[in-house]
Amino acid sequence: MREADRTVLVELAKEDYARVEPLFGPQYPNLAFVHGVLDEKLPGRVWVHEENGVPVACLIATLSPFCFAAGTLTRAFFDQARTLLEGRGTVQIVHPAEPGIGELAAGSGFTPALRRQFSQPRADWSAPEPVLPDGFELVRIDAALFDRLDSPMARSIFGSGAGYAEHAIGFALRKDGRIVADAHGVVGGGLSELGTFAHPDYRGLGLPSFLLAEVARWSAKNGLRVVITCAEDKRASIAMAHRLGLTEDFLYPVAELAC
């Protein structure tokens, strides 16, 4: 068996997270999430495979379905990733777009899929200034409001209201005392990756686009590069990215599995 086939993933202590950062280059997708975990701004876990004391492969898992792999990836890597992520439900592992990696993941039971990444096209870019919809109140999300949100994905990404208030940015729309839509920026590595949620009773009103523009404007004013990612065929998210004036950077592969 080749040395590379004997991948052994060992959980990395938080004080050593900086050692794996070089494995995730500037063109790696979802870097706000990657840096969010490595900088301990997002809850997550990190595993590493080392050779001669040097990290050569890494798996980062957030509390959400999003996980990230980098380095020299083998079939054994994906076998172990499957074991480590067992019981988490459906997960997506982002991995480099190198030939053969998708096949290695498929051999471990993962299904290949594609996502799109959009970002602001210029340093002087500015998001459109949104117009507040009639009958709604715009509020900044703080720790107390975060804990009341009907947004399972946001809770899985950020963990707690206290952590959210310290490391993230978000706005919500309130109507008749009820939070009906919210949008957030995952902040890390000089990036702000945007996401949004609207209550089913209030979809189709353009509320997510309004909130995403608000988060995007705040992010840009604070020196953060705005990013949106979505499934390859998610037309609503693609349309929202275009309405914000973002441009598509690339398609990138993920490996999906119900663990």
Side-chain angles (χ1 to χ4, degrees):
M1 181 181 292
R2 295 176 303 159
E3 182 66 25
D5 293 329
R6 295 198 291 268
T7 302
V8 178
L9 289 170
V10 177
E11 187 158 8
L12 194 63
K14 291 183 177 181
E15 57 268 25
D16 292 327
Y17 279 3
R19 297 178 56 227
V20 301
E21 186 174 324
L23 293 175
F24 298 87
Q27 296 304 310
Y28 192 92
N30 303 107
L31 272 176
F33 280 84
V34 170
H35 285 284
V37 174
L38 295 182
D39 295 340
E40 299 181 57
K41 295 178 179 179
L42 291 180
R45 299 175 70 181
V46 179
W47 294 272
V48 65
H49 170 62
E50 296 185 312
E51 293 180 4
N52 300 318
V54 178
V56 296
C58 179
L59 173 66
I60 296 176
T62 68
L63 296 185
S64 74
F66 305 126
C67 304
F68 309 94
T72 302
L73 306 184
T74 65
R75 167 68 184 274
F77 176 96
F78 287 103
D79 285 343
Q80 291 181 55
R82 179 171 183 162
T83 299
L84 292 169
L85 300 173
E86 187 175 0
R88 292 172 50 101
T90 300
V91 298
Q92 289 188 343
I93 300 181
V94 177
H95 61 77
E98 297 173 5
I101 293 181
E103 288 78 4
L104 293 172
S108 298
F110 290 85
T111 300
L114 290 171
R115 292 180 63 84
R116 298 180 187 272
Q117 177 167 303
F118 301 83
S119 69
Q120 63 193 69
R122 306 177 310 278
D124 62 349
W125 171 88
S126 179
E129 186 167 357
V131 177
L132 182 65
D134 291 341
F136 293 90
E137 176 190 5
L138 177 68
V139 291
R140 173 82 176 264
I141 300 173
D142 59 13
L145 183 55
F146 177 85
D147 290 333
R148 294 170 43 212
L149 294 178
D150 183 20
S151 184
M153 181 62 74
R155 264 196 293 279
S156 72
I157 291 171
F158 298 106
S160 68
Y164 180 91
E166 185 175 0
H167 300 303
I169 171 64
F171 294 93
L173 286 172
R174 184 160 52 199
K175 185 176 179 62
D176 300 326
R178 176 187 185 187
I179 298 298
V180 299
D182 50 87
H184 315 268
V186 175
V187 176
L191 304 169
S192 177
E193 183 167 332
L194 277 52
T196 185
F197 175 83
H199 189 278
D201 292 345
Y202 290 87
R203 291 175 183 168
L205 302 177
L207 305 183
S209 291
F210 170 85
L211 287 171
L212 286 177
E214 196 70 30
V215 177
R217 287 173 62 82
W218 182 95
S219 300
K221 287 179 181 178
N222 285 272
L224 300 171
R225 184 173 177 81
V226 174
V227 173
I228 286 180
T229 68
C230 65
E232 176 191 19
D233 57 354
K234 195 168 184 180
R235 294 182 179 180
S237 296
I238 294 170
M240 283 192 285
H242 287 313
R243 281 197 291 271
L244 283 175
L246 305 183
T247 58
E248 185 169 341
D249 296 324
F250 44 70
L251 281 169
Y252 63 96
V254 297
E256 297 183 334
L257 184 69
C259 294

